[in-house]
Amino acid sequence: MRPMAHLLTLCSSFMVIRAVFCSAEPQAADNRAPFESEWIVSDFRFHTGQILPDLRLHYITVGNPAGEPVLILHGTTGNGSQFLSDSFAGELFGQNQPLDTSKYFIILPDNIGHGKSSKPSDGMRANFPQYNYEDMVRAQYRLIKEHLGINHLRLIIGGSMGGMHAWMWGEMYPDFVDALMPLQCLPVEIAGKNRILRRIITDSIRNDPDWENGDYEKLPLQGLTIAGYARFALFTNSLEIYESYPTRDKADLAFEGMSSRINTTDANDLLYAFEASSDYNPEPGLEEIRARVFAMNTEDDSTNPPDLNILPRVIRRVKNGKYMLIPRSKDTAGHRSYLIGKLYTEQLREILK
């Protein structure tokens, strides 16, 4: 059974064991205990030229600070804590597992506009600077290099939006990372059904009279409702939904649960998060990537369907690139499969050799 809330939000509200600390530097007392902190970047300049005097970047670290650093990047509307689930950390971070925390230093940031990092709903609303994926990657880089003092990454893993960020890292900072593992994404501009559904999400919010250019007094529920339905269509597939809700009553109950969550969604945060992908397109620079790349998608990912044949075609342009399509199985979960570590355990071991 896959709860509808997971499918709608992609935040995957798994059981998370987090240590809540407030000091500025990672602690090494218990390598396996997650450490939560934040860094304030002064006068961060966005691609638009807008400057935010104080950009808050929230992050979690797990593992040995003296170990090889690994950056793991979340999807749209997600956050770093989603990787602390049993299905991910439980499969990858343990003793003798691929990312054994006695050997690796795991960094899980909340990206701009997400989680506990700075976002429109903090108070600026639509006055918050318009951010794109380039801004998000530059902020990640500054967090890693300037705050954590890391000059080289062993690996970047990213799922969905995080996977797209991984492709961009390979081009923007080609000598900074040894290996990239982009999951459930494509290194081309967002087009077709993917782009159309994203436009439905953003335009339905902008065109709701109650949105008031972001300064709404009451939730723009009409726009948020349409956006919620479009998100559901974008990130789920028919077989997955049927297996989870195989009767009329169960499907109706799931629909009602999805509708109730719309009342807790911030319209500006959602709008910004989806508009950030508008100019994403790493395809022209694929030859510039020097890191080893092991890209993977699953057969049941309807957001990036394999019948488009895009990844097998473009991966040839990556000098050290490799591609794998994971067959549909009882273990895959459509677009959210990047959160299931056992699907690519052996591939992780291979790329880390």
Side-chain angles (χ1 to χ4, degrees), residues 78 192 200 239 250 318:
I200 292 173
L239 180 61
K250 289 182 178 180
V318 181

Side-chain angles (χ1 to χ4, degrees), residues 114-346:
H114 292 69
K116 297 179 182 179
S117 291
S118 293
K119 52 188 179 294
S121 62
D122 291 338
M124 293 185 69
R125 294 191 166 194
N127 291 317
F128 192 85
Q130 293 290 330
Y131 64 84
N132 66 0
Y133 283 3
E134 179 184 344
D135 295 322
M136 298 167 96
V137 171
R138 283 194 299 106
Q140 295 160 16
Y141 174 80
R142 293 189 62 179
L143 173 71
I144 298 297
K145 188 172 178 62
E146 296 178 27
H147 178 57
L148 296 177
I150 295 170
N151 293 315
H152 195 81
L153 290 169
R154 183 71 182 88
L155 171 69
I156 297 176
I157 304 174
S160 190
M161 177 183 74
M164 292 187 270
H165 289 176
W167 286 109
M168 295 180 67
W169 264 89
E171 295 181 9
M172 292 172 64
Y173 308 105
D175 297 317
F176 199 86
V177 58
D178 291 332
L180 305 171
M181 183 172 275
L183 308 169
Q184 306 298 90
C185 66
L186 299 171
V188 298
E189 65 180 324
I190 296 175
K193 171 189 153 186
N194 194 331
R195 173 62 177 168
I196 290 171
L197 286 172
R198 288 171 186 264
R199 282 295 303 271
I200 292 173
I201 291 168
T202 58
D203 286 23
S204 64
I205 295 172
R206 286 193 178 279
N207 294 330
D208 189 320
D210 290 333
W211 182 61
E212 297 286 354
N213 293 318
D215 291 321
Y216 55 85
E217 295 296 328
K218 60 179 181 178
L219 279 176
L221 284 177
Q222 178 178 333
L224 282 173
T225 299
I226 297 171
Y229 298 159
R231 291 173 71 192
F232 177 78
L234 177 60
F235 293 127
T236 60
N237 62 58
S238 298
L239 180 61
E240 180 183 15
I241 296 305
Y242 186 79
E243 289 178 345
S244 298
Y245 311 104
T247 68
R248 178 189 60 196
D249 290 343
K250 289 182 178 180
D252 285 350
L253 187 62
F255 175 78
E256 290 164 9
M258 179 177 70
S259 299
S260 68
R261 292 185 65 84
I262 290 171
N263 293 322
T264 64
T265 301
D266 184 85
N268 292 317
D269 286 351
L270 185 64
L271 173 67
Y272 271 67
F274 277 92
E275 286 193 335
S277 67
S278 296
D279 59 357
Y280 166 77
N281 186 17
E283 184 177 7
L286 290 177
E287 286 85 358
E288 300 171 14
I289 297 176
R290 300 173 191 170
R292 295 179 63 198
V293 177
F294 202 140
M296 280 177 286
N297 281 8
T298 57
E299 191 176 34
D300 58 354
D301 181 3
S302 62
T303 309
N304 304 290
D307 54 350
L308 296 179
N309 202 43
I310 292 174
L311 196 47
R313 171 176 55 83
V314 300
I315 197 68
R316 302 169 190 168
R317 295 172 48 195
V318 181
K319 182 178 179 181
N320 298 305
K322 194 172 182 179
Y323 160 69
M324 178 179 176
L325 180 66
I326 300 173
R328 182 198 307 269
S329 73
K330 61 180 178 60
D331 293 324
T332 58
H335 187 66
R336 295 179 302 110
S337 295
Y338 69 90
L339 293 167
I340 304 175
K342 66 181 179 182
L343 293 176
Y344 41 88
T345 297
E346 295 309 312

Side-chain angles (χ1 to χ4, degrees), residues 90-110:
E91 297 288 338
L92 302 178
F93 292 178
Q95 186 175 9
N96 297 322
Q97 291 179 338
L99 296 176
D100 186 331
T101 52
S102 67
K103 302 176 182 177
Y104 292 97
F105 183 54
I106 313 297
I107 307 153
L108 308 169
D110 291 352

